[in-house]
């Protein structure tokens, strides 16, 4: 009887909780009904918009560190102080304390999103409730998006928990929770594919602003597209065929996954998606791959044609949460890339992997590939370009300053009507001034605007001169004309020159003393200031000038190297309470724009889906089902991987690799290409290699010598997070107890 009463009590609590979350997320006095909401266009659309609120802001969202810190990709420097990283590294995870769900209750979050989607889908199709006048194409587009959103939310749940209850309609007050069951992974993937296919079957609107479409505008950021649906299907099928989830008799064989992932890739390619390959300026990013991850996507795909969906708001803030100690505003070193990840980056010249494995259990004795060209005495030379885009290593330049200076220019022209003993002739952009007597001078035009701030502000021009001028001078006209004392004095020398020669005069004194170009000083405004150029003291001097102007600029600082050696400016540290220094000898560079800091937040946003992943998903399914070189349509698994490598200039993988050898190269490629993008954490689980990868990571301790550096690999603390139970998240014990009381079944995942 007590158990029965408890069940009734819990059911009432759950129903109240569900009802409280089933509104529009608008202010409600309790009288707003679904009929009220769906009777008006604006409130219906608002409810539809709220269905997207559960798409995650992927980034540094696990105690200000990325998911990579909980895998073999990285070791967070805060692992020795209280917090989520410390709990994970000390194997303190339990069904009541999962560090990975502390900032976001994943189970509740996505099921709330699913419930929101279910309510929308059921109500929008109920003519008794949905009475608003809505364009049919727009309404069908909403339905398509919400179906895909529900599929996406289910995908996020099953990646973490395995099979979960399938709920396709809102719970009624009279719902019998005792009949709920936990579906299998395969059944959940069935629903995911069904929802996406149903959405894709909706005819694409011919209208450019409504409907479930391939192409959207930049002001529709956050809407899901047909490409998003294909990406969800590609990932779901890949996971379903993987060793963790495939069971005998499952429909999701590698062949089936190949079919689904190939369709997703082909459809995206057919609709204009392509790998980002824009080469940046040398002082912006190292290569197209690096540039891609600091650029914000444009949903219209006018520039970025690779991104399918990007986090909408949360910049990674690498500069702050995984910064180097020489980065202004950094708060902690954060996710330091592991030596295992560094070892995965191949050699640019040969395309080979430098490290083939380890001969000891502690990963301190690497098995070097003698054919790769890797030099352990110079371990960071000649590596895959993605290495330089993703990792700060010892002696890596912190900035990419090239010495190119951005200047603010104030062009000035000479006025032939305001002269004394000077004749002036013009030839295109060139002006020739010839002195005809004593005291020759000529006025310039006005500045037209005040001088901009700059560490350097100079008069400059290029010239040719028939003689050396030894007593030229400038007057700084700040009150309508030359005034007593506002002159340089006759001490400027302009050397004779038959070829174009640059002349430069520092304006610091004129600015500080008379306010030239910056202060009115009771006279003309700064924009009305001008110069009088006194050429010399006699006749027959001829000087030809071009580009006469004032330049305002700040020379860039010399690049500061990241010194991770012991005693360096970013030295490695084993002090567990010190969070500003790397534990591994490396700092994260991917997503980081070196110009970012407290005043400029220019780091990239993480991609949730991109075309690069779709190439790799297909490659994995294809080599598993048909082999590395077998064509599936017009593309083989090796072709797909080589397309990814070609973008960064890496040599193609050779033909004729066995399936086993190709698997090693493929998994290495996926590890490198998708580093820090929330894939590795799940990949090692679905491949069921967690026990081999996640017990600990290693780093590189470097000491400086008179002749160079000594490199010593170090092992960081054992984590204990590679046991089989860590293949899945634990379900929160409160949920487990609740459902056990409803159903008399234990829903908890193995080992928890």
């Amino acid at each position: 009887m007590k158990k029965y009463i408890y069940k009734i009590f819990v059911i009432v609590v759950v129903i109240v909780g569900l009802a409280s979350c089933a509104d529009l997320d608008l202010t409600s006095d309790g009288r707003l009904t679904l009929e009220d909401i769906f009777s008006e266009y604006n409130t219906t659309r608002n409810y539809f918009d709220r269905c997207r609120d559960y798409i995650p802001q992927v980034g540094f969202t696990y105690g200000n560190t990325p998911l990579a810190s909980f895998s073999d990709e990285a070791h967070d420097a805060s692992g020795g102080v209280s917090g989520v990283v410390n709990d994970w590294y000390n194997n303190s995870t339990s069904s009541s304390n999962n560090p990975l769900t502390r900032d976001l209750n994943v189970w509740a979050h996505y099921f709330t999103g699913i419930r929101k989607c279910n309510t929308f889908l059921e109500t929008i199709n109920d003519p008794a409730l949905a009475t608003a006048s809505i364009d049919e194409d727009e309404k069908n587009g909403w339905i398509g998006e919400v179906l895909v959103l529900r599929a996406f939310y289910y995908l996020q749940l099953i990646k973490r928990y395995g099979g979960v209850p399938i709920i396709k309609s809102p719970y009624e007050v009279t719902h019998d929770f005792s009949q709920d069951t936990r579906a299998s992974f395969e059944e959940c993937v069935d629903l995911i594919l069904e929802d996406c296919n149903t959405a894709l079957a909706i005819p694409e609107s011919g209208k450019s602003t409504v409907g479930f479409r391939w192409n959207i505008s930049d002001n529709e950021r956050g809407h899901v597209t047909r490409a998003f649906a294909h990406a969800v299907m590609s990932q779901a099928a890949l996971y379903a065929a993987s060793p963790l989830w495939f069971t005998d008799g499952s429909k999701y064989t590698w062949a089936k996954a190949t079919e689904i992932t190939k369709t997703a890739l082909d459809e995206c390619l057919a609709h204009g998606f392509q790998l980002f390959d824009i080469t940046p300026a040398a002082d912006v990013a190292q290569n197209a791959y690096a540039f891609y991850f600091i650029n914000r996507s444009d949903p219209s795909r006018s520039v970025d044609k690779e991104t399918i969906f990007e986090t909408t708001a949360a910049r990674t803030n690498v500069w702050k949460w995984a910064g180097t100690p020489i980065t202004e505003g950094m708060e902690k070193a954060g996710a330091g890339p592991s030596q295992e990840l560094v070892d995965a980056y191949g050699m640019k010249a040969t395309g080979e992997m430098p490290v083939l494995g380890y001969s000891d259990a502690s990963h301190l004795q690497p098995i070097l590939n003698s054919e790769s060209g890797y030099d352990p005495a110079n371990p960071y030379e000649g590596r895959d370009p993605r290495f330089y885009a993703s990792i700060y290593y010892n002696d890596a330049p912190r900035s990419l300053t090239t010495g190119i200076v951005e200047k603010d220019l104030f062009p000035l022209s000479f006025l032939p009507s305001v002269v004394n003993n000077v004749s002036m002739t013009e030839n295109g952009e060139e002006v020739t001034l010839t002195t005809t007597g004593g005291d020759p001078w000529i006025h310039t035009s006005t500045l037209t605007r005040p001088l901009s701030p700059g560490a350097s502000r100079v008069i400059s021009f290029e010239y040719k001169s028939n003689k050396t001028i030894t007593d030229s001078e400038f007057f700084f006209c700040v009150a309508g004309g030359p005034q007593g004392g506002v002159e340089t004095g006759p001490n400027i020398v302009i050397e004779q020159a038959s070829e174009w020669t640059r002349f430069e005069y520092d304006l610091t004194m004129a600015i500080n003393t008379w306010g030239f170009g910056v202060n009115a000083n009771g006279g003309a405004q700064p924009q009305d200031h001008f110069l009088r150029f006194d050429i010399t003291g006699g006749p027959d001097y001829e000087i030809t000038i071009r580009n006469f102007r004032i330049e305002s600029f700040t020379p860039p600082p010399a690049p500061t190297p990241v010194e991770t050696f012991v005693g360096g400016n970013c030295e490695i540290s084993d002090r567990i309470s010190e969070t500003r220094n790397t534990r591994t000898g490396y700092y994260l560079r991917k997503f980081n724009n070196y110009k970012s800091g407290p005043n400029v937040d220019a780091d990239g946003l993480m991609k949730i889906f991109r075309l690069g992943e779709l190439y790799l998903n297909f490659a994995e399914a294809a080599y598993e089902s048909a082999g590395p070189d077998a064509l599936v349509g017009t593309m083989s698994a090796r072709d797909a991987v080589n397309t990814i490598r070609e973008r960064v200039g890496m040599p193609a993988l050779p033909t004729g690799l066995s399936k086993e050898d190709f698997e090693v190269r493929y998994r290495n490629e996926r590890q490198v290409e998708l580093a820090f993008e929330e894939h590795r954490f799940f990949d090692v689980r679905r491949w069921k290699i967690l026990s081999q990868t996640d017990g600990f990571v290693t780093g590189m301790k470097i000491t400086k010598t008179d002749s160079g550096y000594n490199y010593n690999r170090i092992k960081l603390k054992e984590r204990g997070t590679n046991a089989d139970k860590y293949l899945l998240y634990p379900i929160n014990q409160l949920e487990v107890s609740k459902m056990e009381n409803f159903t008399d079944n234990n829903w908890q995942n193995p080992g928890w």
Side-chain angles (χ1 to χ4, degrees), residues 410-413 415 443-451 475-483 486 507 510-511 513-532 550:
F410 297 77
L412 298 172
S413 58
L415 303 180
H443 282 196
T444 71
S445 57
T446 60
L447 291 174
T448 72
R449 59 191 173 95
L451 294 178
F475 282 82
F476 304 103
C477 304
V478 298
Q483 305 298 310
V486 289
L507 284 172
I511 293 169
T513 305
W514 304 297
F516 178 72
V518 296
N519 295 316
N521 272 349
Q525 295 298 311
Q527 59 267 28
D528 296 323
H529 294 180
F530 61 95
L531 295 170
R532 193 182 94 174
I550 292 174

Side-chain angles (χ1 to χ4, degrees), residues 298-534:
D298 51 319
S300 64
R301 291 185 282 127
S302 58
V303 177
D304 174 5
K305 296 176 172 57
E306 178 169 356
T307 301
I308 295 171
F309 196 89
E310 179 181 68
T311 291
T312 56
R315 291 188 180 272
T316 49
N317 293 144
V318 174
W319 65 270
K320 182 177 185 179
W321 302 121
T324 64
I326 58 174
T327 302
E328 182 184 4
M330 72 88 75
E331 294 194 13
K332 66 171 191 170
S338 68
Q339 185 63 48
E340 284 78 6
L341 177 60
V342 171
D343 288 343
Y345 289 92
M347 303 304 293
K348 177 71 163 58
T350 63
E352 292 294 321
M353 296 166 54
V355 175
L356 302 177
Y358 308 94
S359 60
D360 67 318
S362 296
H363 293 188
L364 302 180
Q365 301 296 326
I367 302 170
L368 301 182
N369 182 355
S370 60
E371 298 180 358
S372 68
Y374 174 74
D375 178 5
N378 296 286
Y380 311 127
E381 291 186 5
R383 305 298 289 273
D384 185 323
R386 289 169 291 190
F387 170 73
Y388 305 106
S390 303
I391 295 174
Y392 286 114
Y393 53 93
N394 186 52
D395 276 348
R398 172 65 185 86
S399 72
L400 301 175
T401 301
T402 62
I404 298 172
V405 181
E406 294 183 4
K407 297 181 177 181
D408 192 8
L409 303 179
F410 297 77
L412 298 172
S413 58
F414 293 109
L415 303 180
S417 60
V418 191
V419 299
N420 185 64
N421 290 334
V422 173
S423 67
M424 172 179 158
T425 57
E426 297 181 78
N427 182 18
E429 299 295 320
E430 301 172 10
V431 174
T432 299
L433 304 176
T434 305
T435 64
T436 59
D439 192 22
W441 52 260
I442 186 168
H443 282 196
T444 71
S445 57
T446 60
L447 291 174
T448 72
R449 59 191 173 95
L451 294 178
S452 56
S456 295
R457 285 174 284 191
V458 300
I459 298 169
S460 72
F461 56 83
E462 291 135 34
Y463 75 93
K464 297 177 183 178
S465 177
N466 68 338
K467 301 178 183 180
T468 294
I469 301 172
T470 58
D471 56 356
S472 183
E473 62 181 314
F474 293 104
F475 282 82
F476 304 103
C477 304
V478 298
Q483 305 298 310
V486 289
E487 60 178 299
T488 60
N491 55 3
I492 297 175
V493 175
I494 302 175
E495 298 287 349
Q496 179 181 2
S498 58
E499 301 294 333
W500 288 112
T501 303
R502 178 177 169 85
F503 170 86
E504 190 174 289
Y505 179 80
D506 187 357
L507 284 172
T508 300
M509 182 195 72
I511 293 169
N512 293 341
T513 305
W514 304 297
F516 178 72
V518 296
N519 295 316
N521 272 349
Q525 295 298 311
Q527 59 267 28
D528 296 323
H529 294 180
F530 61 95
L531 295 170
R532 193 182 94 174
F533 179 33
D534 285 32

Side-chain angles (χ1 to χ4, degrees), residues 543-588:
I543 182 169
T544 301
I545 294 173
R546 68 183 183 188
N547 295 326
F548 191 96
R549 62 199 183 191
I550 292 174
E551 302 175 357
S552 178
F553 60 93
T554 298
T560 301
V562 175
E563 300 170 347
T564 65
F565 60 82
V566 176
N569 58 21
C570 300
E571 68 173 331
I572 190 172
S573 172
D574 58 6
R575 300 183 296 275
I576 63 172
S577 61
E578 173 57 70
T579 62
R580 291 177 58 84
N581 291 79
T582 176
R583 297 284 181 271
T584 65
Y586 304 100
Y587 292 87
L588 178 60

